[in-house]
Amino acid sequence: MPDNIVVERDGAIAVIIVNRPKEMNALNLATMLELDRIIRSLEDDQSVGALIITGSGEKAFVAGADISEMADMGAMQAKEWARLGQQVFSRIENFPRPVIAAVNGYALGGGCELAMACDIRLASEKAKFGQPEVNLGIIPGFGGTQRLTRLVGKGQAKLLIFSGDIIDAQEALRIGLVDRVVSADELMVAAKALANKMIAKAPLAVSQAKLAINKGVEMDSESGYMFESEIFGMCFTTADQKEGMRAFLEKRKPVFSGQ
Ligand code: CO8
């Protein structure tokens, strides 16, 4: 049986490839469970400094949840399927190290939602984005109504979700749905260069900054500032803070230990 998810290692980077190219990498239940298992195992693997998530083949990142599996679902089953997807995507969002989506083609429905669960979205100029669920009589169910609204604001989120429009990478960049657009040939090189740049920084500082942003955005500003100052103080208990500041003062490059 072919793997629905393939993991390739390149140094400290783990590249997760959704691998159902004939089905435009649509997420069926088996693929979602495989993704969950892989993310859990990578969480515990300290040799992994960053993840890149991408799709197999030329055309699609992920074209959504698998429609053939959903067509005959009842309400309870659909709700459970949505909850499972939400939990897996939250696990990706809260992965303790950086996660980059390298969006190589269609990122529709659950595919756009998967990209939004990543920290940073790098898109090929061929990438296309949309939440076309209303064409199927449903709404986004893997966190799209929440993450898209937080990323691009209510107006643009409603424009995309109510219209089902598919937008190109430049428009996605303009509204803030993606963070950088590169040529298709450069996508993986650019994603790996970005991952390696982050991996070279103080690892605890990067993961704590991620925590401060992800948790802080759910809080009122004052609680967010408090949370930030807690984490800021905690950084001063690390060897990497000592090393980073000492290296600056000694005019040399820091050597971080991740401690
Ligand atoms: N599910 C299942 N199969 C798919 C999907 C999908 N989402 N997308 C594409 N495929 C299949 C096609 O059926 C086709 O199969 P076959 O070769 O057997 O006919 C194959 O992939 C190739 O697709 P096309 O022939 O359609 O290729 P095109 O290049 O003409 O079009 C598109 C590419 C534009 C990506 C087109 O396939 C498309 O519109 N796909 C559907 C996109 C979509 O509607 N996505 C949203 C799905 S719903 C969703 O994601 C909700 C998430 C939350 C779920 C909550 C749980 C209840």
Side-chain angles (χ1 to χ4, degrees):
M1 207 179 85
D3 288 336
N4 295 316
I5 305 280
V6 173
V7 181
E8 290 176 0
R9 284 296 297 267
D10 184 350
I13 303 171
V15 182
I16 297 178
I17 305 163
V18 183
N19 186 39
R20 301 183 74 217
K22 282 201 197 103
E23 294 85 8
M24 298 269 164
N25 302 322
L27 297 169
N28 60 2
L29 179 62
T31 307
M32 190 66 92
L33 292 173
E34 223 172 298
L35 183 59
D36 185 46
R37 201 168 55 244
I38 284 166
I39 297 293
R40 283 172 193 264
S41 75
L42 294 174
E43 270 172 12
D44 298 333
D45 185 344
Q46 294 305 322
S47 71
V48 172
L51 304 183
I52 295 174
I53 301 182
T54 194
S56 174
E58 302 271 291
K59 288 185 77 173
F61 173 71
V62 166
D66 192 313
I67 298 167
S68 63
E69 250 187 21
M70 283 188 296
D72 295 323
M73 278 183 187
M76 276 311 289
Q77 202 186 352
K79 186 175 154 187
E80 278 168 21
W81 178 211
R83 284 301 292 155
L84 171 72
Q86 288 169 359
Q87 282 158 10
V88 177
F89 287 8
S90 287
R91 191 168 271 281
I92 291 171
E93 184 166 52
N94 296 314
F95 189 82
R97 280 138 352 241
V99 183
I100 298 169
V103 184
N104 53 313
Y106 286 108
L108 302 179
C112 189
E113 292 169 305
L114 173 60
M116 289 191 291
C118 299
D119 294 314
I120 289 146
R121 280 149 296 287
L122 226 61
S124 134
E125 60 198 359
K126 291 184 182 164
K128 297 214 182 323
F129 297 81
Q131 296 288 163
E133 286 88 347
V134 289
N135 294 324
L136 303 167
I138 60 173
I139 71 166
F142 291 156
T145 59
Q146 306 308 302
R147 287 201 180 89
L148 186 60
T149 307
R150 283 168 171 75
L151 264 181
V152 303
K154 258 188 185 178
Q156 291 290 346
K158 287 177 177 173
L159 198 54
L160 276 175
I161 291 173
F162 296 179
S163 69
D165 278 352
I166 293 177
I167 59 172
D168 65 18
Q170 286 301 339
E171 176 64 0
L173 179 68
R174 192 187 70 77
I175 66 172
L177 175 53
V178 305
D179 304 298
R180 196 176 286 172
V181 178
V182 296
S183 72
D185 294 344
E186 283 172 327
L187 181 64
M188 281 315 288
V189 174
K192 286 182 178 180
L194 191 57
N196 279 324
K197 184 184 273 191
M198 294 169 181
I199 288 168
K201 309 300 175 189
L204 281 174
V206 173
S207 65
Q208 292 301 311
K210 175 167 175 169
L211 189 68
I213 294 168
N214 281 3
K215 295 287 172 235
V217 85
E218 308 294 338
M219 298 175 185
D220 64 88
S221 324
E222 202 46 52
S223 307
Y225 300 143
M226 285 295 294
F227 189 56
E228 183 186 74
S229 61
E230 290 292 330
I231 294 178
F232 185 78
M234 201 273 292
C235 289
F236 284 73
T237 66
T238 66
D240 282 350
Q241 176 269 328
K242 308 277 175 282
E243 167 63 9
M245 295 196 178
R246 202 174 299 128
F248 175 83
L249 295 172
E250 292 169 1
K251 301 189 189 305
R252 61 174 174 83
K253 279 197 154 192
V255 182
F256 293 121
S257 63
Q259 306 288 312

